[in-house]
Amino acid sequence: QAVVIFMTAYADTDKAVRAIKAGATDFIPKPWEKEKLLATLSSGMKLRRSRTEINLLKEQVEVLSNATAGGSEEIIIGDSPVMQQVFSTVEKLRDTDANILILGENGTGKDVIARMLYRNSPRYGKPFVTIDLGSIPEQLFESELFGYEKGAFTDARKAKAGRMEVATGGTLFLDEIGNLSLPMQSKLLTAIEKRQISRLGSTQSVPIDVRLICATNADIRAMVDEGNFRQDLLYRINTIEIHIPPLRERGNDVILLAEFFLERYARKYKKEMHGLTREAKNKLLKYNWPGNVRELQHTIERAVILGDGSLLKPENFLFHSSVRQKKEEEVLNLELLERQAVEKAMRLSEGNITRAAEYLGITRFALYRKLEKLGL
């Protein structure tokens, strides 16, 4: 990739032609004219920079192509108050460039919210580069993030730009940042603060301009207290925090999502399925969903593949009791069980008395009495 300028005191046309054919960009005979020499070297440096920019643009185009390939953009569905709050926060961030930290359990859709933030940002149309820190071995993290020069290590057969360099001008999404080791946290912090990086095997700094969106399912503040996550890095990445609620706290969103996935997979597998029975809906609402939206998606896909008829029924869904559910089942105190049932029904119905009474299998009047008795 070097720009070569050929120089000799034994200049002739044949040598010049051979030099250019061999890959030289210019030919200077001795003795040289100072102005011509400086102009030639200046042109060579500009050409080198242009080649570097072209290579980076090629990698950015590849990233953009991969991001848009394979179908339509993911969407996130929810009418529950907790999700409306999330959507409101995303809307408020539309014209900002602030770094965002997304918190939530596995399977809640943190990556979908990250893409939603990207699509609603001034950097939309520029690269959206993702690194799943949970799947990259620690020894490869530095080369993935910062890139490397040819020969920097055994398998570095050619130079490669890192994800941070490729994301310049756009957005870098660091998924599961809680998995990052302390030494790597330090290097990431330095890059963010200096807004520049150096490829492995290089002594030159490369300026970067990225918006950071990070996500984790870990209790990151507890990690800070325990000394497992740098407090100064936390301050850098969470100008704004967004908490994604677990599916069990989203009430009737379970049904909205189930119907959305049902339509998608019925079309994919060419099944004439149009909905769920009331009993099936109740079964979905009563389940705890430890795997959140991702588990619901897989559950509906499996039910569509194995199911028959136009409607999905309760028997189409087979759930494995979670540890949490087993613990709840071990509670035998009737008053406590009644309280838990009423509280859960009110949570799932988002305070709708009629719907909560249906979940409990009692009348609205009976539910009012229980609420009064339990002081709810």
Side-chain angles (χ1 to χ4, degrees):
Q1 296 181 24
V3 172
V4 177
I5 297 172
F6 192 78
M7 180 184 288
T8 179
Y10 304 96
D12 58 51
T13 304
D14 180 57
K15 280 194 179 71
V17 171
R18 286 165 58 199
I20 298 301
K21 281 186 175 181
T25 59
D26 212 333
F27 182 94
I28 301 176
K30 294 180 182 179
W32 61 80
E33 297 175 16
K34 184 168 71 173
E35 289 77 11
K36 187 176 187 305
L37 173 64
L38 291 174
T40 302
L41 293 175
S42 178
S43 296
M45 291 168 66
K46 288 177 182 176
L47 177 61
R48 180 70 179 90
R49 280 197 293 269
S50 296
R51 286 181 180 175
T52 302
E53 289 171 2
I54 288 169
N55 289 336
L56 180 58
L57 284 170
K58 284 180 179 176
E59 294 193 39
Q60 289 182 333
V61 167
E62 185 179 348
V63 167
L64 284 169
S65 299
N66 291 338
T68 56
S72 59
E73 295 171 333
E74 286 290 331
I75 61 172
I76 190 161
I77 295 170
D79 281 342
S80 60
V82 285
M83 286 309 298
Q84 289 303 312
Q85 181 63 44
V86 171
F87 297 150
S88 174
T89 302
V90 171
E91 181 61 31
K92 289 175 183 176
L93 297 170
R94 176 177 289 276
D95 297 318
T96 71
D97 217 16
N99 291 338
I100 310 295
L101 177 62
I102 305 173
L103 303 174
E105 295 178 7
N106 281 335
T108 50
K110 297 187 292 296
D111 57 331
V112 182
I113 290 293
R115 290 181 181 277
M116 189 177 179
L117 286 162
Y118 162 67
R119 290 196 301 270
N120 287 281
S121 76
R123 292 176 182 253
Y124 182 56
K126 302 292 179 64
F128 180 83
V129 180
T130 299
I131 305 181
D132 183 357
L133 300 178
S135 63
I136 295 178
E138 183 180 342
Q139 60 270 26
L140 296 181
F141 170 76
E142 196 169 358
S143 61
E144 280 291 320
L145 191 64
F146 303 133
Y148 52 84
E149 295 294 341
K150 180 179 179 181
F153 48 86
T154 305
D155 292 326
R157 296 185 177 87
K158 64 176 183 177
K160 183 183 178 187
R163 305 283 184 94
M164 220 166 194
E165 191 177 343
V166 172
T168 287
T171 302
L172 180 65
F173 177 43
L174 299 179
D175 199 7
E176 301 304 344
I177 195 168
N179 291 336
L180 204 56
S181 68
L182 285 170
M184 292 301 103
Q185 290 175 32
S186 178
K187 292 181 179 180
L188 175 60
L189 178 62
T190 301
I192 295 171
E193 289 179 335
K194 293 185 175 180
R195 300 180 71 85
Q196 62 183 29
I197 55 99
S198 294
R199 294 183 182 183
L200 291 179
S202 173
T203 57
Q204 294 184 336
S205 296
V206 178
I208 55 164
D209 171 27
V210 298
R211 182 201 195 180
L212 273 181
I213 299 178
C214 302
T216 181
N217 65 348
D219 185 344
I220 203 158
R221 284 189 168 74
M223 291 180 67
V224 170
D225 293 340
E226 295 162 3
N228 295 322
F229 199 89
R230 292 181 64 116
Q231 190 172 49
D232 45 3
L233 178 58
L234 178 59
Y235 291 149
R236 284 287 183 178
I237 65 176
N238 78 328
T239 305
I240 302 291
E241 277 186 21
I242 298 178
H243 296 259
I244 311 299
L247 186 56
R248 61 183 171 273
E249 295 179 5
R250 292 175 54 181
N252 205 54
D253 283 357
V254 173
I255 304 304
L256 293 178
L257 286 160
E259 290 173 341
F260 170 77
F261 292 132
L262 172 58
E263 182 182 349
R264 171 189 285 185
Y265 292 118
R267 188 167 57 248
K268 178 179 178 179
Y269 297 111
K270 298 179 174 56
K271 293 286 192 84
E272 292 295 326
M273 290 184 177
H274 310 295
L276 304 101
T277 65
R278 172 180 280 191
E279 294 76 17
K281 290 179 181 180
N282 285 337
K283 185 170 184 177
L284 294 180
L285 286 167
K286 290 175 182 177
Y287 183 58
N288 198 45
W289 298 110
N292 292 294
V293 178
R294 189 179 296 131
E295 183 184 4
L296 174 61
Q297 180 178 352
H298 294 160
T299 297
I300 298 296
E301 182 176 14
R302 183 170 59 247
V304 169
I305 292 171
L306 299 177
D308 297 309
S310 60
L311 296 174
L312 288 179
K313 304 176 183 65
E315 54 266 29
N316 294 125
F317 305 111
L318 299 174
F319 299 130
H320 300 286
S321 296
S322 66
V323 173
R324 182 173 185 165
Q325 286 176 313
K326 287 177 181 176
K327 284 182 179 178
E328 288 176 354
E329 289 166 5
E330 290 169 3
V331 177
L332 297 177
N333 183 284
L334 287 175
E335 184 177 346
L336 182 57
L337 287 171
E338 185 178 49
R339 174 180 287 275
Q340 288 176 348
V342 171
E343 287 177 344
K344 186 170 184 179
M346 291 297 291
R347 187 172 67 249
L348 291 173
S349 67
E350 298 170 9
N352 185 302
I353 296 294
T354 301
R355 202 185 306 155
E358 287 180 1
Y359 292 154
L360 293 167
I362 59 178
T363 65
R364 292 173 75 252
F365 181 68
L367 178 55
Y368 277 122
R369 283 190 301 173
K370 288 186 183 298
L371 290 170
E372 185 177 355
K373 183 183 81 170
L374 296 169
L376 296 175

